[in-house]
Each structure stands twice: as structure tokens, then as C-alpha cells.
Amino acid sequence: RSNIDLYGNTASVTMYYNMGVTIAMGTDWSATGSMNILRELNCAAQFNANNLGDFFSDHDLFKMVTSWAAEVTASETAIGDLAPGMAADITIFEHGERAGYDAVVGADTKDVMLVLRGGLPLYGDSALVTATATDESGCETLDVCGNTQTVCVEQETGVTLSTLSADIESDA
């Protein structure tokens, strides 16, 4: 998104792909980029459809943020796939009318049902977080686009969401 917003274009990804280069993407700074990987995927899918004639499949786009991203960062032995011995960072989506990899590529924040980091619930539908949490201390509810979600910030940061919010409001 940053390249398109700033320069009106992005890398010649089809050429690089045809040359055997592994294509990966992530989020960029939020001033011109996407605030999360889902929005980056949505942007890439739009660019792919509008400018590349659907050169990349939804599966390709999915791999650009998972296994191919792990490969280009030399972390493929730890992340990027669901396999024994890998970090258990998993996101579960509501697929609605979308099928296959489009359930992820076409997803929006409201479609995120559960995020597990290291196998532990980090964010999601309150009932799913409660059902998967071994310890719910440090988990708090949060309004996300009109939906009540639960986020377990304390296990990641050592402080609660309430504390982080108060710090932001006080310009700490």
C-alpha cells in the first residue's frame, strides 16, 4: 500500500516471480501503509485483480504473508506453517460467503474470530478466548468496530490494556 500511495506503483512482482524470486509482504508504516496484515492482503488482492489480471491466486497471496514471508526472513524453521515444532501463531477467521484462501485474503478485522500466539489466546471473540484460555487473568474486553472482543494484552506486554489506554490518554 505504501508504494502505491507514495509512488503510484509497486515492485514488478510478476517479473520477479517469473524469475524465481520469492515474493513476500508485510505491513508498512501506517501513515501511507496498512494498519494490519489483513488490510495489506486486501490491497494486494485489489492490485492483483485491477493491475495484474489476477496473476497471483489467493493461495499465493496467503503464502506471501505466511510461508514465503518466513522463507525470505530465514525463519522458516520456526514460523510460516502449521507443523510440529513450529510456533503456534494461528488466526481463525469467519469465512462467511468466502471459500478457501479467500476467507483470509478477503477478510476484514470483523472476521477475525481468534488469534493464538504461541498457542495461547491473544485476541478474539470473547467466548472463543474464554474457551481456549488456560488463565484469563490479564484478558479484557475491547470494542472493535461495534463488536465486543477480548484481548489478552498483559501476557504479551506485562501491562493491562487499561494501563496502556490510560498511558496513551495521558501522553505517557
Side-chain angles (χ1 to χ4, degrees), residues 144-158:
V144 179
C145 303
N147 295 323
T148 301
Q149 302 285 48
T150 296
V151 61
C152 304
V153 173
E154 191 171 14
Q155 72 189 21
E156 285 291 308
T157 65

Side-chain angles (χ1 to χ4, degrees), residues 15-72:
M15 178 187 72
Y16 294 132
Y17 182 83
N18 285 331
M19 293 172 59
V21 174
T22 302
I23 308 295
M25 69 176 143
T27 56
D28 207 343
W29 69 319
S30 59
T32 59
S34 300
M35 69 178 277
N36 60 45
I37 199 67
L38 289 179
R39 288 197 180 162
E40 198 67 25
L41 270 171
N42 291 164
C43 179
Q46 254 184 335
F47 186 81
N48 184 47
N50 297 339
N51 300 87
L52 306 179
D54 285 320
F55 180 87
F56 295 104
S57 67
D58 287 339
H59 188 219
D60 292 335
L61 293 169
F62 175 83
K63 291 192 296 188
M64 288 179 196
V65 299
T66 57
S67 58
W68 292 354
E71 181 183 328
V72 301

Side-chain angles (χ1 to χ4, degrees), residues 88-155:
D89 295 349
I90 301 166
T91 304
I92 300 170
F93 297 91
E94 170 64 50
H95 64 83
E97 299 297 316
R98 296 179 311 275
Y101 290 97
D102 184 44
V104 177
V105 174
D108 196 356
T109 53
K110 67 178 175 39
D111 301 315
V112 176
M113 299 305 296
L114 181 65
V115 176
L116 302 171
R117 180 156 163 80
L120 300 173
L122 177 61
Y123 168 85
D125 174 79
S126 296
L128 291 174
V129 171
T130 299
T132 56
T134 54
D135 177 14
E136 291 180 59
S137 62
C139 296
E140 301 170 78
T141 59
L142 174 69
D143 178 70
V144 179
C145 303
N147 295 323
T148 301
Q149 302 285 48
T150 296
V151 61
C152 304
V153 173
E154 191 171 14
Q155 72 189 21

